[in-house]
Structures are given as structure tokens and as C-alpha cells.
């Protein structure tokens, strides 16, 4: 039988794992965005802001 303590600590472990996975996903997306922006600048030129 699962005790209350095991459920509590299991929840903490799952939350920490989800947080770590979220950080990894954000870093991966940031790297991909940087590479895509560089490729688009190379192919189409720098973005011109119309302010």
C-alpha cells in the first residue's frame, strides 16, 4: 500500500522532473530560434523596423 509520505515525496519528484523538462524544452527552443533567425537573415537580409 502507498503511504501518504510516499505519495508526498513522489509528487515532489514528479514536479521537479516536470520543471527540469520544461527548462530543457525552453533552452532547446531558444537555440532553434537563434539558428532560424540567423538563417533567415542570411537568406532574406536583416529585418527592417518601421518605427
Amino acid at each position: 500500500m502507498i503511504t501518504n509520505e510516499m505519495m508526498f515525496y513522489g509528487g515532489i519528484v514528479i514536479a521537479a522532473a516536470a520543471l527540469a523538462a520544461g527548462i530543457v524544452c525552453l533552452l532547446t527552443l531558444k537555440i532553434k530560434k537563434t539558428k532560424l533567425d540567423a538563417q533567415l537573415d542570411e537568406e532574406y537580409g536583416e529585418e527592417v523596423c518601421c518605427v
Side-chain angles (χ1 to χ4, degrees), residues 25-43:
C25 287
L26 285 175
L27 290 175
T28 303
L29 288 173
K30 184 163 180 70
I31 291 169
K32 285 186 174 190
K33 181 185 182 308
T34 303
K35 288 181 180 179
L36 178 61
D37 285 342
Q39 181 180 358
L40 289 173
D41 285 344
E42 180 182 324
E43 291 181 9

Side-chain angles (χ1 to χ4, degrees), residues 1 4 6 12 17 19-21 24-25 28-31 33 38-39 42-43 46-47 49 51:
M1 184 189 291
N4 289 337
M6 289 177 65
I12 290 174
L19 180 63
V24 168
C25 287
T28 303
L29 288 173
K30 184 163 180 70
I31 291 169
K33 181 185 182 308
Q39 181 180 358
E42 180 182 324
E43 291 181 9
E46 293 288 326
E47 182 178 359
C49 185
V51 175

